[in-house]
Amino acid sequence: MQITNNSYKEISNAEIISAMENSDVTIGNNPSLPYIIEKTWNWPHITVAFFVDTVLVGIFTAVRIRNVYVSLPHFSHSAYWVDTSHLIKKLERNVPDIDLSEEELIHLFYGFFNKVLEENSGKNQASVKLKTDLSLSNVLDKIKTNTKENSLQIESRSFQTLTDNYANHKTISEICLAATMDSQMQSFSPSVKRKIRKARSNGIEIFVGDSEYLKDFYSVYRKNIHRLGSFALPYRFYENLLCDYSNGICKIIIAKLQGKVVGSAILLSFMDYSENPWFATLKEYNRLYVSYALHEKMLELAIAEKCRVYSMGRSTIDSGVHKYKMQWGGNDKTLFYNFTFPHKAIAENTRIINSVIKRLPQSFVKIFDSFVSKFIY
């Protein structure tokens, strides 16, 4: 099989987005994210665009962190998209008796990406974009081969297994959105609707904005992450996110009680997909159902953007956070962390580390946020 790489300059983000229309996407497919990550941590990225018989059918972006390629650090989803429906129809027209699943095609292009990445790794430490031309015969030749083997270290996240080494302890909770907020409210259980109404009667006020609310968001987020015994993403990441996020909305949602900020969240959208990746409330105010007021507003914003899905982000399966999300009546999709190399699970002493962090002053712990975010993502 011959793969041809050439300049990617003639392919714009608009062309990428146009190719993704009428297909399933996630926040990770937004082409602005790799640049925001690079701007924050100085990690170069490589983007490969796959054309089959002149039609753009696949995009894969990975960020280089030391000797590992990650798609995508600090986000739930990878920057991996394949137009499986177009390809399956094209193959069926040319080979009527072919029996090809969507999962097989995804594996196939993952293997193509590995090959292109292997050929170009180490040539340039700066970010690079490549256009890769394939013919239909290339695709047919590789359908039945094993595309999981690769000598490079690659980590990617997906809703299906891509490699023999993977972790599956995380889930994404997604809510299918109705056409109007009134219809959406009718889909919730009596318990959820009651808690939303209770938040209003408790005097919780919701505000939506941009960078003017960043300090408010971060103060609650940083305090909450410390209570959980973890490190936070650096402040500059959120500055860059608000400044450079495009192709969708990036909004900060603030909950206040009598002028005091008691909860905060960020909502992102890309095409018809929306997600709440970062969410925090002050524990002492949870009895007032602050979180329900925040989610109600984000659902309203997502519906106004004509989104099809509202993702509540990732959580550990069967954790307290996961069980909280389940009551909203969404669908759980297992999130696989795929590795092309043997990978050890997080150490069992994580709880001990968490308990130590909780006991240290927040002013001391936050000094290490930026450093730790380079290793834990």
Side-chain angles (χ1 to χ4, degrees):
M1 181 191 70
Q2 183 179 1
I3 293 180
T4 305
N5 298 329
N6 47 43
S7 174
Y8 188 78
K9 293 180 181 178
E10 71 274 18
I11 304 172
S12 66
N13 285 348
E15 186 176 354
I16 294 174
I17 293 171
S18 178
M20 291 179 179
E21 287 181 352
N22 302 317
S23 67
D24 291 337
V25 298
T26 68
I27 294 300
N29 298 128
N30 190 328
S32 69
L33 292 185
Y35 297 94
I36 294 169
I37 292 171
E38 180 177 358
K39 184 177 180 180
T40 305
W41 288 280
N42 296 317
W43 292 328
H45 64 274
I46 180 170
T47 296
V48 180
F50 295 99
F51 286 73
V52 173
D53 296 339
T54 74
V55 177
L56 179 58
V57 297
I59 297 286
F60 202 127
T61 298
V63 175
R64 183 167 183 170
I65 306 176
R66 296 172 296 282
N67 294 320
V68 180
Y69 289 88
V70 183
S71 185
L72 283 168
H74 297 304
F75 285 89
S76 299
H77 309 279
S78 70
Y80 186 20
W81 169 83
V82 179
D83 187 353
T84 52
S85 61
H86 170 83
L87 281 167
I88 289 175
K89 290 177 182 177
K90 186 177 181 68
L91 288 163
E92 288 175 344
R93 284 196 301 268
N94 288 271
V95 189
D97 61 343
I98 193 169
D99 183 16
L100 182 66
S101 69
E102 181 176 320
E103 185 176 358
E104 284 178 307
L105 264 184
I106 291 173
H107 284 162
L108 172 69
F109 275 83
Y110 188 71
F112 283 150
F113 172 75
N114 290 353
K115 181 175 177 62
V116 174
L117 188 59
E118 192 169 22
E119 291 175 351
N120 291 274
S121 64
K123 292 182 180 180
N124 195 335
Q125 291 298 314
S127 294
V128 63
K129 295 182 178 180
L130 301 171
K131 175 181 176 181
T132 299
D133 295 313
L134 301 168
S135 66
L136 188 60
S137 61
N138 290 146
V139 178
L140 288 169
D141 288 343
K142 292 292 289 182
I143 283 174
K144 300 303 181 181
T145 62
N146 185 355
T147 60
K148 295 184 180 182
E149 295 181 0
N150 189 267
S151 61
L152 293 177
Q153 293 190 351
I154 305 174
E155 175 191 335
S156 57
R157 294 156 195 183
S158 64
F159 291 132
Q160 62 280 313
T161 59
L162 297 175
T163 63
D164 294 328
N165 299 295
Y166 61 86
N168 59 351
H169 62 294
K170 295 287 186 178
T171 186
I172 299 284
S173 300
E174 295 181 345
I175 297 175
C176 293
L177 295 179
T180 66
M181 190 59 195
D182 287 341
S183 297
Q184 194 69 52
M185 285 293 293
Q186 293 304 312
S187 70
F188 296 141
S189 68
S191 175
V192 169
K193 287 188 281 190
R194 178 183 63 81
K195 291 170 182 176
I196 290 174
R197 292 193 299 268
K198 193 66 176 176
R200 297 172 188 160
S201 64
N202 285 334
I204 302 299
E205 295 182 287
I206 302 296
F207 300 86
V208 180
D210 300 296
S211 56
E212 71 271 21
Y213 286 133
L214 180 54
K215 289 184 178 179
D216 291 327
F217 161 79
Y218 201 80
S219 64
V220 177
Y221 161 74
R222 190 65 195 76
K223 184 174 182 179
N224 192 62
I225 208 79
H226 184 259
R227 178 179 64 83
L228 297 174
S230 186
F231 293 93
L233 293 178
Y235 188 85
R236 71 174 183 277
F237 164 72
Y238 294 104
E239 288 182 311
N240 294 336
L241 184 71
L242 288 162
C243 178
D244 297 327
Y245 192 85
S246 59
N247 312 308
I249 63 169
C250 176
K251 294 294 182 182
I252 294 178
I253 298 86
I254 298 296
K256 290 186 178 182
L257 178 65
Q258 298 178 350
K260 177 181 174 62
V261 180
V262 295
S264 63
I266 287 180
L267 178 70
L268 303 177
S269 74
F270 175 61
M271 299 182 71
D272 63 356
Y273 196 94
S274 64
E275 184 165 77
N276 162 226
W278 300 283
F279 186 98
T281 59
L282 297 182
K283 185 179 180 180
E284 58 268 34
Y285 293 93
N286 285 348
R287 59 185 174 80
L288 302 178
Y289 303 111
V290 176
S291 65
Y292 293 85
L294 286 168
H295 281 300
E296 180 194 22
K297 175 54 69 173
M298 287 188 285
L299 284 161
E300 180 184 314
L301 292 170
I303 289 172
E305 287 294 305
K306 302 188 183 305
C307 290
R308 176 183 55 87
V309 173
Y310 172 70
S311 166
M312 303 180 84
R314 57 182 164 171
S315 53
T316 301
I317 294 175
D318 292 333
S319 66
V321 173
H322 179 211
K323 292 176 181 177
Y324 165 84
K325 294 175 181 178
M326 289 174 65
Q327 68 181 311
W328 290 84
N331 301 311
D332 285 345
K333 299 174 73 173
T334 300
L335 182 64
F336 293 94
Y337 288 66
N338 301 282
F339 307 91
T340 61
F341 54 96
H343 182 266
K344 293 183 179 180
I346 298 174
E348 295 182 359
N349 61 358
T350 298
R351 291 183 180 179
I352 298 175
I353 296 173
N354 292 154
S355 64
V356 171
I357 292 174
K358 291 178 185 179
R359 288 169 171 74
L360 295 172
Q362 179 179 303
S363 57
F364 174 75
V365 175
K366 70 180 183 180
I367 295 173
F368 302 96
D369 284 345
S370 182
F371 175 77
V372 173
S373 68
K374 294 180 180 180
F375 297 91
I376 299 177
Y377 41 79

